[in-house]
Amino acid sequence: QVQLVESGGGLVQPGGSLRLSCAASRSITSISPMGWYRQAPGKQRELVAGITRGGSTKYADSVKGRFTISRDNAKNTVYLQMNSLKPEDTAVYYCNVGRMLAQAMGVFPTISDSWGQGTQVTVSS
């Protein structure tokens, strides 16, 4: 099991950038995959991006070319760099590991399910 803590959310203008961080309570070297989901008001939670321990990535079509997921095993942290933000990116962003993410990426999970508490991202002028 692992505990996940997100940070880096906030209010940003359209076209701006934010970097979200997900700090894990233990080494992430063997944890795969790791990823980000988001949930906007009145909408279902959706996969934003995932990354395996080998560095393979998957992105939602809506964020391809704008968002980049990365992991720093030395810091036990996964990042989501978000550029060219749009109002429709407004949501609570959650860090995640486990079966659902693994299934979405077509890989086997190496750890049981865990979610962070979420961080709010608001894109508005």
Side-chain angles (χ1 to χ4, degrees):
Q1 190 73 354
V2 63
Q3 282 72 52
L4 305 170
V5 179
E6 303 96 335
S7 62
L11 173 64
V12 63
Q13 293 187 340
S17 297
L18 281 175
R19 187 177 79 158
L20 305 184
S21 299
C22 171
S25 61
R26 47 153 283 191
S27 171
I28 66 169
T29 302
S30 63
I31 298 178
S32 186
M34 301 187 73
W36 293 89
Y37 283 77
R38 68 186 180 186
Q39 188 166 19
K43 295 189 176 181
Q44 288 189 331
R45 194 170 294 190
E46 63 174 352
L47 175 63
V48 177
I51 185 168
T52 68
R53 57 184 168 183
S56 297
T57 58
K58 179 182 178 69
Y59 295 94
D61 288 343
S62 60
V63 307
K64 282 180 181 176
R66 300 188 298 122
F67 291 10
T68 302
I69 189 170
S70 62
R71 58 192 292 163
D72 186 336
N73 291 343
K75 295 183 178 179
N76 298 333
T77 301
V78 175
Y79 302 99
L80 185 68
Q81 177 67 45
M82 306 186 295
N83 300 327
S84 303
L85 282 160
K86 304 176 181 180
E88 51 263 43
D89 295 317
T90 296
V92 178
Y93 284 70
Y94 298 91
C95 186
N96 171 256
V97 298
R99 185 177 50 187
M100 184 169 68
L101 176 62
Q103 185 175 17
M105 295 190 68
V107 298
F108 291 102
T110 63
I111 196 169
S112 56
D113 294 353
S114 184
W115 292 90
Q117 83 287 352
T119 186
Q120 176 71 47
V121 172
T122 302
V123 184
S124 174
S125 55

